[in-house]
Amino acid sequence: MKTGLGLYRKYRTLYSYLNLFRFGLRKVLVGFDVANIFIQRVDKYSLQLILRKYGAVIGKGCDIESGQIFHNCQNYSNLIIGNNCHIGKGCFFDLRDKVRISDNVVISMDVTFLTHLDVGKSALTGTFPPSSEPIMVGYGVFIGANSSILMGVSVGSKSFIAAGSVVKDTVLKNVLVGGVPAKEIRVLEEKQ
């Protein structure tokens, strides 16, 4: 039997819609870039509401903590998150290209997803022309704190990326990788 009047849930919902309005107002008055900074300060319930309203696909049962940073975007349509995912505080999402996260993925705090390379006005522009590629994270993956996933990387299902790793190459399924750059440490046994 449920007790209480559900006041906290009502308050939380009302507050989330207030933050959605604040985001939209900032977007209209001063532009998306300023509104995008505001999203870093909202609570996790408001965050999901704003992301969904402005193009992100987020599955059911997701827990996305506050303090996320979104870069290189004019909406959030390049962010696709499956069901039952957890994303820790302070992650950085470069949304120049798509970031696809499958179901049951756990992303620890301060993980960086970089989908593009652009050396700008550097003399290296001829050597490294601007490019972008999507990032794909498979089913049931764990990504440790302070890791970086670089453009074009696919992480195979049920893989474990150790904290502080820089992943620049495709990760096979059911493996533990770690280091800078990340290398396969061992194959993981599947538990029944």
Side-chain angles (χ1 to χ4, degrees):
M1 180 171 115
K2 270 189 161 177
T3 59
L5 302 172
L7 292 177
Y8 177 71
R9 174 177 254 156
K10 289 175 185 172
Y11 165 77
R12 193 177 70 203
T13 300
L14 182 63
Y15 187 68
S16 295
Y17 278 97
L18 176 61
N19 280 331
L20 176 63
F21 174 76
R22 288 174 172 165
F23 179 89
L25 188 61
R26 280 173 171 79
K27 181 178 178 287
V28 168
L29 294 178
V30 289
F32 186 85
D33 290 338
V34 174
N36 198 27
I37 294 169
F38 170 73
I39 203 172
Q40 295 174 35
R41 298 190 321 261
V42 301
D43 66 286
K44 65 184 186 176
Y45 305 104
S46 301
L47 175 63
Q48 281 200 45
L49 182 64
I50 294 167
L51 289 174
R52 284 186 171 116
K53 174 69 176 170
Y54 288 93
V57 175
I58 302 172
K60 295 178 182 175
C62 288
D63 178 39
I64 303 172
E65 295 294 336
S66 58
Q68 307 302 329
I69 299 170
F70 300 95
H71 180 61
N72 280 322
C73 56
Q74 289 303 309
N75 60 48
Y76 304 110
S77 61
N78 277 344
L79 181 62
I80 301 155
I81 302 171
N83 298 318
N84 304 313
C85 292
H86 170 80
I87 300 175
K89 290 185 179 288
C91 293
F92 180 94
F93 293 88
D94 169 13
L95 296 179
R96 170 91 44 104
D97 212 317
K98 292 204 180 298
V99 175
R100 290 181 186 271
I101 299 167
S102 298
D103 297 345
N104 299 347
V105 170
V106 174
I107 299 170
S108 298
M109 66 187 94
D110 297 321
V111 172
T112 299
F113 295 90
L114 294 176
T115 64
H116 87 287
L117 171 71
D118 188 349
V119 296
K121 296 179 181 177
S122 165
L124 297 170
T125 302
T127 307
F128 300 103
S131 60
S132 66
E133 292 180 56
I135 293 172
M136 312 285 203
V137 178
Y139 172 85
V141 168
F142 175 85
I143 301 175
N146 292 304
S147 293
S148 295
I149 314 298
L150 303 184
M151 68 180 209
V153 167
S154 287
V155 179
S157 62
K158 299 181 183 175
S159 289
F160 187 108
I161 297 172
S165 298
V166 176
V167 183
K168 67 179 193 67
D169 297 312
T170 293
V171 175
L172 301 175
K173 67 180 189 170
N174 296 317
V175 295
L176 167 63
V177 300
V180 179
K183 300 212 182 303
E184 185 176 316
I185 296 170
R186 69 182 172 98
V187 175
L188 300 174
E189 294 181 25
E190 284 200 56
K191 304 282 183 185
Q192 296 298 338

